[in-house]
Amino acid sequence: MPLRKISLREFQGRPLRSVLTLLSIVIGVSAIVATSLATNSAKLAQIAMVQSVTGKSALEVEGIGGASFDGKPLEFLASTPGVQVASPVLRRYSNMQVVQDGEPAEQQPSVSRPTSFRVQLLGVIPDLDRKVRGYSIVEGRELTYESEDRESVLMDAGFAASARIKVGSTIKLLTRSFGQKATVVGLIKASDASAGLQSGMVVAQLRTVQKWSRANGELDAVQLVLNQEAKVNDVKERIAAALPEGVKVREPALRSQVAGESTIAMQQGLRLATMFALLISAFIIYNTFQMNVGERRRQLGILRSLGALRGQLLWMIVREGLWLGVIGTIIGCIVGNLGATLLNQSTSKLLQISIPPSPWTIWPYLIAATCGMIVAFLGAFFPAMRASRLSPSEAMRVVATGEFGTSRLGWLIFGTFTITIGLIVQIASVGGWINTNHAITGAITMMIGIVFLLPGVISDLSAGVAWLLSPILRIEGRLARKQILRHRGRSALTIGIIFIAMSTGLGMASTILDNIGNVESWYKRAIIGDFFIRAAMPDMNSGQAADMPDGLDEQVKAMPGVDVVDTMRFVRARSGDNSVVVVVRKFNATGQDYFDLIEGDEKSVLEGIKRGDVVLGSVLSQRLNLHVDDKIPLETNEGATELRIAGVTNEYIAGGLTLYLESENAKRLLKVSGTDVIVVRSQKDAVASLEKDLRKLCDESGLMFQSYADLVQIIRDTLNGVVGGLWAVLILGTIIAAFGLINTLAMNIIEQTREIGMLRVVAMTRGQVRKMILAQALIMGIIGIVPGVFAGIWISYLINMTTMQVTGHDVEFKLYPWLLAGGLVLELVVIVIAAMIPAERAARINVSSALQYE
């Protein structure tokens, strides 16, 4: 019979084990595909935000720090040698309402769709803009520069469809000049990545947007398209020499620095999850094939006796692994694609943004397929190589003499060496001698070393656990330990899977809880006020937000029941090579802790900020290595300036690349005008009446109104989503560990068939058989779970330590007894449930058949 047919019969005869091996490959491959696609989508979303403005431009003129500037002195750009097109741009964010039949959206009977939308309002010169940005008219007509089009706009077709807006619809845009009505004359479709905008795009004439936003003569950028023969560097140098102070020329960036930081953080998180998935998958595959080969020892011995060569047996088993690898890779790619879609959708809902799908490329699938096939090959190769070396007489034995050729001392030495290497890498990373990203690599190396150490210490550990459980397990516990030690390697790998699942799951969960606590501590200090009024949620990556009407804060301040009115404005600036977001506030409330300070005390910090000093976000402080009493260089329209640092605060806005500045000083230094958020504190006896009045004002003006409870609930909902995610990680880890345990117990039962039959003959009851199998599960589970709890605590502490190197502030490390106890109990419950199936199978073994089993 051809060996290929024998392999097919093995798959058909043991479908559960084949499915388990297949599943482990699918997990690893899908993790890689989902990680790559989700990361590419995130990058595309960030790139699209800038490409929507930069278009085909080779160079771009902008204000230093991203501030607006006077466009009059830049008229020379159009006539500069080498410049084909110089297209000015003014970009503002706005809150949009749809007007139908003369009524605003909130007064219409239909409530099946949102009444307002956050949009990106782009002011351009139409004839020039068409030569820069890639889009086409899909319905309606082009926007002209004639006077009749001053109140007309173009709109992104995809956004218009979701908002149910058609050509001819009237929209109302909230601007600094209050509500402005405009008519949609055309729908456009981007021909580049700008189709993935994070907010709907509305294009209008430049002078119209300038008028609405009270930015007469101001620009955000001038996009330059060069002649084909022009050299970019030559043109850049020529323009830079003629630019006025406060303006610079550069090549368009593909993404802002803050956006890049966000993408990198997501990449690291996804890669970490992928590494754990691959690590556990590799252990399961190896363990499965090791058991598969062990179960077929007699078959392999017969084949060797019949003349099968060692190489033929080796190739037969490896080929089985490769077959499963191919099938698992195909399924994994499909599952990974679906997983990336779900991940993007979840992220989109969580952050309220649109994330475009990643364009098709073969590389994520090729990398995933390569990793999947390598894991499948290695998982099958080593057990196959060992099986092929057995002599026919040795292979014919029912029970193996041993699974590893290496001595107990060898495993102790190798495991200890690997653990030591992992610890050295972690210490060097935390100490700053090597890149902090290597700390996780060191932790994974340490965990692998612990798994390698297990075969050398499993006898002592199992003896200790069996002794502790002896009042419960009794004789069944001793029999269970005997079977565990009969196959040290298999048992050690199973314990290793349980250990890795427990340690990584608890470590990640504990770290997330620590960071959630840190966020809660931050927002309880930074977000102080009874009510908040805004046009739309600000874009924390760029600092841009929808304009609010001028004078609205004074209107709110005059309302009865108001105690204090503070304002916030988010402004882009630059410090050296770092893009930063300046948070401008009045800081006019008494007795309020504005900051979660890391350096400085509240009193001196507030005194300093009134003088014109700044408070740095912790990440920016760490990045620039600047602290209290140092001076931070800041580039503005007024040129370069240095500001004294009064304090450093824990901060999450714009990824911590922020600095706080008092509003009057911001007007002087940055020419800041306008408001993004109005923070209202109510008098104690007027909360209900003031809330009613403010809601009415916001409804009339198309503004967003939030109470402190509403805002906290939004944050809590987001955090609850994260907590749900960490429980999913724990559950996934326990399920994976359960699969490995079921395999091991099933294999043990097969090898114990004759022994179980003899025990049944000498009066062992079925209940005692079940208890013996459950005892095996408990002993292996406890050996893996208890060290896994301590390793999880260490991993959490390590991640918090490395966070300091990136964020500039300590994330307080806490022990969560409920989490540790809950994780331990959950894992034990899953292990017991997983053991019930093989235990019941063992209890129902036919005695006469068992005695004849060989």
Side-chain angles (χ1 to χ4, degrees), residues 647-666:
V648 177
T649 182
N650 177 28
E651 188 56 68
Y652 287 92
I653 294 176
L657 295 174
T658 57
L659 61 87
Y660 283 83
L661 191 59
E662 193 272 333
S663 58
E664 292 300 322
N665 293 305

Side-chain angles (χ1 to χ4, degrees), residues 408 453-466 481 484-485 488 495 779 783:
R408 178 175 185 269
L453 192 68
L454 284 173
V457 298
I458 191 172
S459 178
D460 300 325
L461 292 176
S462 61
V465 173
R481 178 173 178 264
I484 290 172
L485 296 181
R488 294 171 181 266
I495 294 170
I779 292 172
I783 294 175

Side-chain angles (χ1 to χ4, degrees), residues 394-660:
E394 185 180 4
M396 292 287 286
R397 295 177 184 173
V398 176
V399 180
T401 56
E403 288 179 309
F404 290 107
T406 308
S407 66
R408 178 175 185 269
L409 181 61
W411 287 112
L412 289 173
I413 294 174
F414 186 72
T416 303
F417 175 77
T418 307
I419 293 171
T420 303
I421 293 297
L423 286 173
I424 291 174
V425 172
Q426 293 172 65
I427 294 171
S429 178
V430 173
W433 299 319
I434 59 176
N435 193 300
T436 55
N437 293 333
H438 295 313
I440 300 301
T441 303
I444 293 174
T445 303
M446 183 185 72
M447 288 191 294
I448 293 174
I450 292 174
V451 175
F452 283 137
L453 192 68
L454 284 173
V457 298
I458 191 172
S459 178
D460 300 325
L461 292 176
S462 61
V465 173
W467 178 78
L468 288 174
L469 297 178
S470 58
I472 302 173
L473 301 181
R474 300 182 181 178
I475 187 63
E476 292 91 341
R478 291 196 292 273
L479 291 172
R481 178 173 178 264
K482 177 182 178 182
Q483 181 61 22
I484 290 172
L485 296 181
R486 181 177 293 174
H487 294 282
R488 294 171 181 266
R490 179 196 308 154
S491 300
L493 283 176
T494 304
I495 294 170
I497 292 172
I498 298 173
F499 166 76
I500 291 174
M502 190 69 185
S503 59
T504 56
L506 277 183
M508 294 174 68
S510 182
T511 298
I512 292 173
L513 289 177
D514 286 342
N515 281 275
I516 287 175
N518 198 257
V519 172
E520 288 179 335
S521 175
W522 165 75
Y523 80 70
K524 287 178 181 178
R525 290 175 176 267
I527 306 177
I528 299 295
D530 296 313
F531 308 107
F532 303 86
I533 300 173
R534 66 180 87 237
M537 293 297 290
D539 180 354
M540 294 307 178
N541 284 337
S542 65
Q544 298 286 346
D547 287 330
M548 293 179 64
D550 284 345
L552 187 64
D553 58 329
E554 295 298 327
Q555 184 178 345
V556 172
K557 188 176 181 181
M559 298 177 72
V562 173
D563 183 20
V564 177
V565 173
D566 196 357
T567 61
M568 298 181 70
R569 180 70 165 171
F570 302 94
V571 182
R572 290 176 59 195
R574 182 166 291 276
S575 180
D577 294 330
N578 296 275
S579 293
V580 301
V581 173
V582 181
V583 182
V584 179
R585 297 191 66 168
K586 289 184 177 180
F587 297 100
N588 56 348
T590 57
Q592 175 177 325
D593 293 338
Y594 283 97
F595 305 108
D596 183 10
L597 291 172
I598 298 171
E599 298 181 24
D601 62 271
E602 194 74 27
K603 181 178 179 181
S604 61
V605 166
L606 287 178
E607 290 175 352
I609 209 166
K610 292 290 186 180
R611 294 193 303 266
D613 297 346
V614 297
V615 174
L616 261 60
S618 55
V619 177
L620 185 60
S621 171
Q622 178 75 12
R623 180 77 55 80
L624 300 179
N625 194 25
L626 295 175
H627 304 278
V628 173
D629 293 331
D630 292 338
K631 289 189 175 181
I632 179 172
L634 197 66
E635 295 178 271
T636 69
N637 271 352
E638 298 297 314
T641 184
E642 289 188 340
L643 300 174
R644 180 183 172 274
I645 300 171
V648 177
T649 182
N650 177 28
E651 188 56 68
Y652 287 92
I653 294 176
L657 295 174
T658 57
L659 61 87
Y660 283 83

Side-chain angles (χ1 to χ4, degrees), residues 208-534:
T208 300
V209 178
Q210 288 175 331
K211 176 185 175 183
W212 288 347
S213 59
R214 294 186 178 177
N216 294 331
E218 291 187 4
L219 302 174
D220 283 338
V222 179
Q223 301 159 26
L224 304 177
V225 178
L226 306 185
N227 297 323
Q228 291 184 353
E229 65 276 7
K231 295 183 179 180
V232 175
N233 289 335
D234 292 343
V235 177
K236 182 178 178 181
E237 292 177 2
R238 193 178 300 123
I239 292 174
L243 287 177
E245 188 176 358
V247 185
K248 65 179 181 179
V249 60
R250 64 176 178 84
E251 296 181 23
L254 289 181
R255 62 179 181 231
S256 70
Q257 180 177 339
V258 175
E261 293 288 336
S262 302
T263 304
I264 290 173
M266 189 188 74
Q267 286 177 332
Q268 291 176 341
L270 291 174
R271 285 172 181 167
L272 179 61
T274 301
M275 291 176 69
F276 287 145
L278 280 175
L279 186 61
I280 293 177
S281 297
F283 276 119
I284 291 180
I285 293 170
Y286 179 82
N287 203 15
T288 302
F289 271 99
Q290 184 190 40
M291 289 184 285
N292 185 291
V293 171
E295 188 176 348
R296 298 162 62 185
R297 295 173 62 89
R298 188 175 182 84
Q299 178 196 81
L300 297 176
I302 294 173
L303 290 174
R304 287 282 287 123
S305 299
L306 294 176
L309 301 177
R310 290 181 176 179
Q312 289 177 310
L313 296 183
L314 174 66
W315 172 240
M316 180 185 72
I317 298 172
V318 170
R319 183 174 54 203
E320 292 173 8
L322 294 177
W323 283 350
L324 292 175
V326 171
I327 299 172
T329 296
I330 295 173
I331 299 175
C333 288
I334 297 173
V335 173
N337 197 299
L338 295 175
T341 302
L342 293 175
L343 182 60
N344 285 343
Q345 290 176 351
S346 301
T347 304
S348 178
K349 291 179 180 179
L350 183 65
L351 302 180
Q352 297 181 348
I353 62 174
S354 296
I355 297 181
S358 176
W360 191 91
T361 174
I362 195 174
W363 290 109
Y365 303 97
L366 185 60
I367 293 172
T370 302
C371 291
M373 294 302 295
I374 289 175
V375 169
F377 172 77
L378 294 178
F381 177 78
F382 290 107
M385 181 175 64
R386 184 176 180 278
S388 67
R389 291 177 177 176
L390 295 175
S391 64
S393 59
E394 185 180 4
M396 292 287 286
R397 295 177 184 173
V398 176
V399 180
T401 56
E403 288 179 309
F404 290 107
T406 308
S407 66
R408 178 175 185 269
L409 181 61
W411 287 112
L412 289 173
I413 294 174
F414 186 72
T416 303
F417 175 77
T418 307
I419 293 171
T420 303
I421 293 297
L423 286 173
I424 291 174
V425 172
Q426 293 172 65
I427 294 171
S429 178
V430 173
W433 299 319
I434 59 176
N435 193 300
T436 55
N437 293 333
H438 295 313
I440 300 301
T441 303
I444 293 174
T445 303
M446 183 185 72
M447 288 191 294
I448 293 174
I450 292 174
V451 175
F452 283 137
L453 192 68
L454 284 173
V457 298
I458 191 172
S459 178
D460 300 325
L461 292 176
S462 61
V465 173
W467 178 78
L468 288 174
L469 297 178
S470 58
I472 302 173
L473 301 181
R474 300 182 181 178
I475 187 63
E476 292 91 341
R478 291 196 292 273
L479 291 172
R481 178 173 178 264
K482 177 182 178 182
Q483 181 61 22
I484 290 172
L485 296 181
R486 181 177 293 174
H487 294 282
R488 294 171 181 266
R490 179 196 308 154
S491 300
L493 283 176
T494 304
I495 294 170
I497 292 172
I498 298 173
F499 166 76
I500 291 174
M502 190 69 185
S503 59
T504 56
L506 277 183
M508 294 174 68
S510 182
T511 298
I512 292 173
L513 289 177
D514 286 342
N515 281 275
I516 287 175
N518 198 257
V519 172
E520 288 179 335
S521 175
W522 165 75
Y523 80 70
K524 287 178 181 178
R525 290 175 176 267
I527 306 177
I528 299 295
D530 296 313
F531 308 107
F532 303 86
I533 300 173
R534 66 180 87 237

